[in-house]
Amino acid sequence: MSGTQAEFKYSCWDFLFTCLGLPLFLVDIVLDILAAVSFYQEQAYVCLGILLLFLVGSSLLTQAYSWLWYSYDDFNMRTKVEEWPSLRQLKLLHFFQLGIYFRHAGVLEKSIESFYTKLPDPEGVVVFLNQDLSMLRVIETFSESAPQLTLMLTIFLQKGQLDPVTVLKAVASAAAIAFTVTTYHRSLRSFLPDKEKQKITSSVAYFIWNLLLISSRLTALALFASVLPCFIFTHFICSWLILFFFAWRSKTDFMESPGGKWLYRTTVGLIWYFDWFNVAEGNTRNKTMLYHGYILTDISILCGVWCWKMSTDPPEFVIQPLDALFTAVCVVAVYILGLLFKVIYYKCFHPNVDRDKLKGAGTEEQPEDGVTYRMLAMTLTPPAQCNKRMRKLAANFYS
């Protein structure tokens, strides 16, 4: 393998990750329907309304991104599945919230073709499609799955239903969110010249620290919402405004149209409410440290408020003050543990581009602050069909 993405060949792990995507997506829809029916039968209309808000809002958001990306690519379809509907029919499919299913089916079609023929993907079609789909999954995850899990945890805490089965369900849901982020991480690696050398252990390490950080964040939000349900919306709006401001100041250029750029900044603020996401060029170490410091402080405050409410206005079920304090400390400790695993990942597993190799890539060194990022962006190997959107994110991630 020469290191070009044009010669990229799916490994067994890549094929497995791709094939699991569509079935899990369909299972998620079934579970959403069952959850909505359950709320309706229990006459929990407020929870039902919030759940529907998550589902409808997330669907509209992902369909909007899917349509905009098709328009950015001049509606150049790359699979037989996507070529089937006309432009008018494709617009209707997105209007009825079905457009993303064609992306799933198209990726599955090309992945199976590439895997079973045992031939390299000559035009990088599989990689191109999978990169877009992985980003759509991330958007769907943090606009629907993460808020929905927070809602479910809040209900369980208010009812005192913290049996082992419930805990296992919550952990499994958090693992699904971390798995989605990991598939996005693997899709970015296809831009690296040494992609073939990236072991599955690196993705496992990436999955673990994301699982720990996301679990701690969602648990803290659920604890706070269980005692002050109305204030969780105020907390979200205030936090999102701050995060949106920093996303705007980061001068993101992921989307091409002006409206798309504002939509992306809005989405980044939403994702940052739950987890870190690289969006800007250059060295982001200071920004990452500032973000995690802010979130860790926020988690500590949320858990502290929950402990205070447990002692001053306890719920119907009995919980000892020491148990409440121990729970809060554990939530904060899990986030700190996740940060330690993240440091280990970046020290031991994160791919780094050699500076000497960057200088030898035909780029002249310039005195501007963004020189490292620009050289890195030129070093990332483009395929025959380069996904420029995801290439920008890859440059952000590996800079």
Side-chain angles (χ1 to χ4, degrees):
M1 187 172 182
S2 63
T4 63
Q5 197 180 22
E7 298 178 354
F8 176 77
K9 183 178 178 181
Y10 255 16
S11 68
C12 294
W13 287 107
D14 293 312
F15 180 71
L16 177 62
F17 274 59
T18 300
C19 289
L20 284 176
L22 184 57
L24 289 176
F25 189 79
L26 296 175
V27 169
D28 183 59
I29 293 175
V30 174
L31 293 176
D32 291 338
I33 295 174
L34 293 177
V37 171
S38 176
F39 283 143
Y40 179 78
Q41 292 176 342
E42 295 175 2
Q43 297 183 347
Y45 299 122
V46 174
C47 294
L48 176 61
I50 295 174
L51 177 62
L52 292 178
L53 176 63
F54 294 156
L55 297 178
V56 174
S58 174
S59 181
L60 291 173
L61 190 61
T62 53
Q63 298 295 330
Y65 275 102
S66 178
W67 176 259
L68 286 173
W69 292 348
Y70 274 132
S71 66
Y72 294 163
D73 299 332
D74 297 322
F75 300 99
N76 180 23
M77 303 306 176
R78 298 171 174 83
T79 66
K80 295 178 181 179
V81 173
E82 292 176 304
E83 290 175 352
W84 174 72
S86 64
L87 180 59
R88 180 185 178 88
Q89 291 171 336
L90 184 65
K91 185 180 295 186
L92 287 174
L93 286 170
H94 281 80
F95 178 79
F96 289 108
Q97 311 302 300
L98 298 175
I100 194 172
Y101 295 101
F102 279 84
R103 286 187 177 271
H104 275 280
V107 170
L108 194 59
E109 171 200 330
K110 285 297 183 179
S111 298
I112 293 174
E113 179 183 326
S114 177
F115 182 76
Y116 280 102
T117 57
K118 305 297 182 182
L119 296 174
D121 184 15
E123 298 181 351
V125 175
V126 182
V127 182
F128 189 106
L129 297 174
N130 196 54
Q131 287 163 350
D132 274 349
L133 187 58
S134 66
M135 184 60 188
L136 287 173
R137 287 171 180 161
V138 169
I139 295 171
E140 184 270 341
T141 293
F142 288 106
S143 60
E144 178 196 327
S145 301
Q148 185 176 340
L149 178 55
T150 305
L151 174 63
M152 297 302 178
L153 287 173
T154 301
I155 295 172
F156 292 147
L157 288 167
Q158 289 177 336
K159 294 181 178 179
Q161 298 176 346
L162 294 178
D163 54 278
V165 176
T166 301
V167 174
L168 286 176
K169 288 180 180 179
V171 173
S173 298
I177 296 174
F179 178 81
T180 300
V181 178
T182 304
T183 57
Y184 163 78
H185 160 260
R186 287 188 65 83
S187 72
L188 291 185
R189 291 188 161 208
S190 57
F191 282 102
L192 292 174
D194 57 346
K195 196 269 176 189
E196 194 175 33
K197 298 179 182 180
Q198 307 308 318
K199 304 298 183 181
I200 190 64
T201 52
S202 177
S203 294
V204 172
Y206 191 88
F207 170 83
I208 290 175
W209 68 257
N210 273 284
L211 176 61
L212 293 173
L213 294 182
I214 292 171
S215 299
S216 175
R217 177 60 173 170
L218 297 184
T219 303
L221 292 172
L223 289 173
F224 179 79
S226 66
V227 293
L228 294 172
C230 294
F231 286 94
I232 190 64
F233 297 102
T234 304
H235 176 269
F236 168 74
I237 294 298
C238 294
S239 299
W240 177 82
L241 287 174
I242 295 173
L243 298 171
F244 170 77
F245 172 77
F246 280 101
W248 170 63
R249 291 292 298 169
S250 297
K251 300 179 181 179
T252 58
D253 58 352
F254 177 68
M255 303 290 280
E256 297 179 15
S257 61
K261 290 180 180 180
W262 285 108
L263 179 65
Y264 180 64
R265 292 162 186 163
T266 302
T267 307
V268 169
L270 175 62
I271 296 175
W272 278 351
Y273 185 71
F274 299 104
D275 195 18
W276 171 249
F277 187 71
N278 283 335
V279 297
E281 63 182 56
N283 191 342
T284 59
R285 179 179 299 178
N286 293 335
K287 296 178 182 178
T288 304
M289 293 177 61
L290 178 63
Y291 169 82
H292 286 301
Y294 168 77
I295 295 297
L296 182 59
T297 303
D298 188 51
I299 288 176
S300 302
I301 294 174
L302 294 176
C303 291
V305 171
W306 178 75
C307 285
W308 170 67
K309 290 293 291 184
M310 285 293 102
S311 60
T312 59
D313 187 18
E316 295 179 1
F317 59 92
V318 178
I319 180 171
Q320 299 298 325
L322 288 179
D323 293 336
L325 179 61
F326 177 76
T327 301
V329 171
C330 285
V331 172
V332 176
V334 167
Y335 195 86
I336 296 174
L337 181 63
L339 292 179
L340 293 177
F341 270 94
K342 184 174 183 177
V343 171
I344 293 173
Y345 165 81
Y346 275 94
K347 290 291 184 181
C348 304
F349 298 104
H350 188 70
N352 294 310
V353 181
D354 185 64
R355 287 180 179 269
D356 295 332
K357 187 176 180 180
L358 289 174
K359 293 177 181 179
T363 326
E364 296 183 1
E365 191 170 1
Q366 302 176 25
E368 285 88 345
D369 294 336
V371 60
T372 304
Y373 167 76
R374 287 193 295 273
M375 289 192 298
L376 175 61
M378 294 186 66
T379 304
L380 296 174
T381 308
Q385 296 190 38
C386 180
N387 192 327
K388 296 179 181 180
R389 294 182 294 274
M390 299 305 295
R391 191 168 180 234
K392 293 175 182 178
L393 293 181
N396 294 339
F397 183 71
Y398 293 115
S399 61

